[in-house]
Amino acid sequence: LIYQAICEIEGISVTDDDYMVYNADITATEEVSLEDSLAQDVENYGRGYVMQELIKDKVIDYIKDLVTVE
């Protein structure tokens, strides 16, 4: 819920393009076609779960950009 709240406050969103890039990254490390990977993710986890994972990743990236380590 915290990730979702940060997304809403900061205007961060996850698009279908982000979903496709996520799956393309997975298929690059595995010997599976993009279509098979998409179908497998939806079947195993559901699209909503994968989208929530993408939200988490985007929020973490956003927070990392705000932090300066000295």
Side-chain angles (χ1 to χ4, degrees):
L1 291 174
I2 291 174
Y3 292 119
Q4 187 172 347
I6 292 171
C7 279
E8 291 173 7
I9 291 168
E10 298 301 328
I12 299 169
S13 63
V14 176
T15 64
D16 287 337
D17 290 338
D18 295 327
Y19 184 70
M20 295 300 284
V21 168
Y22 166 81
N23 279 289
D25 289 344
I26 288 175
T27 58
T29 60
E30 300 175 3
E31 294 183 12
V32 171
S33 72
L34 180 59
E35 292 80 17
D36 290 343
S37 176
L38 287 168
Q40 187 176 8
D41 279 352
V42 170
E43 181 180 326
N44 290 340
Y45 308 111
R47 182 179 168 97
Y49 174 81
V50 174
M51 295 300 269
Q52 286 289 45
E53 288 297 307
L54 292 173
I55 286 172
K56 181 178 81 170
D57 291 345
K58 285 187 99 171
V59 168
I60 289 172
D61 289 341
Y62 170 76
I63 292 171
K64 283 180 184 177
D65 290 340
L66 294 176
V67 175
T68 302
V69 178
E70 295 180 13

